[in-house]
Amino acid sequence: ISASFFEPQKGAYLREACDYFFAEGLDYLMMQKEMKTEQVLQSLKEVLPHQLYYLPPGGRERFEHATKQAGKMKQILEQLDALFDFVFVDAGFGENELITEFMRKADYIVINFTQDAHRLDSFFEKSYDTSKKFFYLIGAYQPQSVYNQKNIQRIYRIPKEKMGVVPYNPKFQFACEKGHLLHYVGEQKKAFLHERDSSFFR
């Protein structure tokens, strides 16, 4: 997520087998004996002033690998939940006990997909719930694919209101890769947008 909003910091790293920026974000919080509100707030990056904040995962910790310190992870999320109206967690891919527990407690779950038949089959063979708190989102969507939105909804019996798509857009892709997402989103206010971009924003 951070790479899309902030320019990559690779230039700040030296070619050494050392983790720079270790005492930041999730890495820093996982090292703390007690979880204090000030520490959590200090660890956040401000994306939009007083509106949107981001907790960097750090160089070592990843949500999907944090089962060894599940208690700490729960404390961090409880603090964030108390501080903000909405908390979005990127749980990565794969499954473990921690992810399963948070999915059970979450108010809403967005599952990201590509238009890949094998991955879709593999996921839906596990009989995921398509009617309650799950929402299915296909990124880099290509409407010409055999696995288009209509066919996926029909094959996997997904209610229409439980599925959305983000059309493939090269400008959006480039902005994400360069860490210029906020700048690109700001362009939607311009009247001279290409039709493809106008459609993308709609």
Side-chain angles (χ1 to χ4, degrees):
I1 293 173
S2 61
S4 299
F5 286 105
F6 308 101
E7 287 193 50
Q9 297 180 342
K10 287 181 183 176
Y13 290 80
L14 296 176
R15 293 185 180 278
E16 297 176 13
C18 177
D19 253 329
Y20 289 91
F21 310 120
F22 175 65
E24 287 186 356
L26 191 56
D27 282 340
Y28 170 74
L29 291 175
M30 285 297 212
M31 291 189 297
Q32 304 310 306
K33 290 180 181 177
E34 291 181 46
M35 201 64 57
K36 295 179 181 176
T37 303
E38 302 81 46
Q39 293 170 321
V40 175
L41 288 171
Q42 236 177 1
S43 302
L44 300 173
K45 274 190 173 185
E46 194 173 56
V47 180
L48 291 173
H50 313 296
Q51 294 180 63
L52 183 64
Y53 300 86
Y54 169 69
L55 177 63
R60 304 185 184 196
E61 293 295 345
R62 291 289 183 273
F63 187 87
E64 63 267 30
H65 300 147
T67 46
K68 290 178 183 176
Q69 297 190 63
K72 275 265 176 74
M73 186 62 78
K74 289 175 190 174
Q75 286 178 19
I76 293 168
L77 288 180
E78 283 168 9
Q79 285 272 8
L80 291 170
D81 201 30
L83 287 165
F84 301 101
D85 296 328
F86 299 99
V87 177
F88 300 90
V89 177
D90 181 354
F93 56 90
E95 285 186 66
N96 60 40
E97 290 176 21
L98 185 63
I99 289 174
T100 303
E101 182 180 344
F102 281 115
M103 285 178 78
R104 190 168 54 248
K105 290 182 177 178
D107 296 314
Y108 212 62
I109 300 167
V110 177
I111 308 290
N112 291 302
F113 280 116
T114 58
Q115 289 169 281
D116 181 275
H118 176 71
R119 290 182 182 177
L120 288 163
D121 286 342
S122 173
F123 181 83
F124 285 104
E125 278 171 8
K126 297 175 184 176
S127 302
Y128 276 83
D129 191 342
T130 59
S131 62
K132 295 180 182 175
K133 61 181 182 180
F134 280 72
F135 185 85
Y136 300 92
L137 183 66
I138 297 178
Y141 177 71
Q142 302 279 2
Q144 301 84 6
S145 169
V146 174
Y147 276 78
N148 58 35
Q149 187 173 3
K150 188 176 179 181
N151 285 338
I152 291 172
Q153 287 171 338
R154 180 179 53 80
I155 294 167
Y156 302 105
R157 296 181 174 85
I158 302 172
K160 192 175 180 180
E161 69 277 6
K162 291 291 176 183
M163 185 177 172
V165 299
V166 179
Y168 173 72
N169 184 298
K171 278 190 182 178
F172 174 76
Q173 195 80 20
F174 183 76
C176 285
E177 288 169 7
K178 294 296 179 184
H180 297 156
L181 186 57
L182 282 180
H183 175 72
Y184 173 69
V185 172
E187 284 186 343
Q188 68 175 300
K189 296 171 186 173
K190 296 178 182 176
F192 51 85
L193 276 177
H194 187 279
E195 173 54 33
R196 178 190 61 202
D197 297 313
S198 299
S199 172
F200 176 77
F201 281 116
R202 282 198 299 273

